Amino acid sequence: MTQSPPAGFDLADMTWPPPPYQSPVPPVTGVDGVRRFDGVTYATTPGFRPRLLDVQLPAGEGPFPAVVWIHGGGWLDGDRRYPPPTVPAALLHGAVLGAGLALVSIDYRHSLEAPFPAQLHDVKAAIRYVRHFAGTLGVDPERIAVWGESAGGHLAALAGLVGPGSTDGAALEGAHGVASGDTGVLAVVDWYGVSDLPALADHPMPAMPGGAEFPDPYEALLGGTEAERPALARAASPVTYADGSNPPPPFLLVHGTRDGLVPYSQSESLARALEGAGGAVTLRPVDGADHIFLGSPDIEGIVAESVAFLAGHLGTKA
């Protein structure tokens, strides 16, 4: 007995080999009116886990400007679904959606899966995917920004600075997933991200709780030999690309002044480089706060300022 194909199935859409990504399936709409595309495969590479993203859309009619959220975790860890423990997901997601923005949360390859620039390739692939399927996803392809924390802040800064006109721009774009397309963004929010890796060469790593062993995040990110690492560190540093060759979008840098993992001076260095390149940059110190804003009494205010910055540059009101 021959069975009919499932609804929406079209043999004309089938190709072999299949493309290195999947088309979005219809979203699920919650009782709050928020539409969600969960676990969408935006890129695949044989031998690696699929790279996934989630999209949340505010209630109402789109298309909506989109914010691509990039998680932290020392490039070794982390998950698109979870902000840092100091920032409740409900607070972060609610603030973005409440401002009339779509939220695109992405995973990327960790550094022990593949060294840099694999992580940047994945961020770029996610942006290309969102633009390619903008009509299906309900987002405005012309209004996309990036926001990251810690390792994700580093990648957000690179996504804003690396483009066709920058040094090694083509190599850093990658060709994963949707292989070509514009990856430019209108704004960047970078929470306590690394910007100048060579300057951190002698910075001591904080001890892990309970004496747990943890790979050196910088060695794992860069790969290569010890002799090759200084050049690799420069190639992975956002300050390298803040040279005016690729005009930077507006940046908001938010960083705790007592950050023991990524020193506040890292954001100061990036702010100086952006100003020298003619970029618009706001450096916001969080007085007395450690990494992930530990010690700050105003997480809600930090989130609100970040969302307002993004909404302003994407053309909505927070």
Side-chain angles (χ1 to χ4, degrees):
M1 178 177 172
T2 303
Q3 291 184 327
S4 299
F9 181 87
D10 188 347
L11 283 175
D13 293 336
M14 300 299 293
T15 61
W16 190 261
Y21 55 83
Q22 292 182 351
S23 301
V25 298
V28 174
T29 303
V31 294
D32 54 1
V34 173
R35 285 171 289 156
R36 294 175 172 85
F37 297 84
D38 292 327
V40 179
T41 298
Y42 72 84
T44 62
T45 304
F48 295 93
R49 62 195 167 100
R51 269 84 83 202
L52 306 180
L53 60 77
D54 300 334
V55 180
Q56 298 183 64
L57 301 169
E61 293 296 322
F64 299 98
V67 176
V68 176
W69 167 260
I70 311 171
H71 70 77
W75 309 282
L76 286 158
D77 201 359
D79 186 309
R80 70 188 186 280
R81 297 168 295 179
Y82 307 117
T86 48
V87 183
L91 170 65
L92 182 76
H93 297 179
V96 172
L97 296 170
L101 304 171
L103 180 64
V104 180
S105 306
I106 70 170
D107 282 333
Y108 52 87
R109 282 170 290 176
H110 294 152
S111 55
L112 293 183
E113 294 179 277
F116 185 84
Q119 297 71 33
L120 180 57
H121 286 171
D122 290 349
V123 172
K124 293 283 191 174
I127 295 170
R128 287 194 298 269
Y129 183 94
V130 170
R131 280 210 164 94
H132 185 77
F133 288 106
T136 303
L137 295 172
V139 304
D140 183 343
E142 302 302 320
R143 294 190 289 167
I144 297 176
V146 288
W147 179 4
E149 62 96 13
S150 196
H154 162 261
L155 295 172
L158 285 170
L161 289 167
V162 170
S166 58
T167 303
D168 295 327
L172 292 173
E173 288 286 320
H176 293 262
V178 176
S180 63
D182 178 22
T183 61
V185 297
L186 295 184
V188 176
V189 174
D190 172 357
W191 280 1
Y192 46 84
V194 170
S195 66
D196 185 355
L197 274 77
L200 291 173
D202 298 321
H203 181 70
M205 293 293 296
M208 295 298 292
E213 292 187 7
F214 199 76
D216 183 289
Y218 303 112
E219 290 184 8
L221 175 71
L222 300 174
T225 65
E226 187 172 350
E228 294 170 328
R229 225 161 270 147
L232 293 170
R234 287 190 295 275
S237 295
V239 294
T240 299
Y241 307 99
D243 57 4
S245 59
N246 200 56
F251 269 69
L252 172 64
L253 308 175
V254 190
H255 208 133
T257 59
R258 298 187 63 185
D259 194 323
L261 185 62
V262 179
Y264 178 71
S265 58
Q266 287 283 300
S267 284
E268 290 181 309
S269 296
L270 182 55
R272 285 194 299 270
L274 289 166
E275 288 171 350
V281 56
T282 300
L283 174 58
R284 182 72 68 227
V286 182
D287 290 336
D290 200 343
H291 204 61
I292 66 171
F293 303 135
L294 279 170
S296 171
D298 190 22
I299 298 298
E300 288 188 14
I302 294 169
V303 171
E305 180 179 7
S306 301
V307 171
F309 175 85
L310 292 166
H313 288 287
L314 291 174
T316 67
K317 295 182 178 180

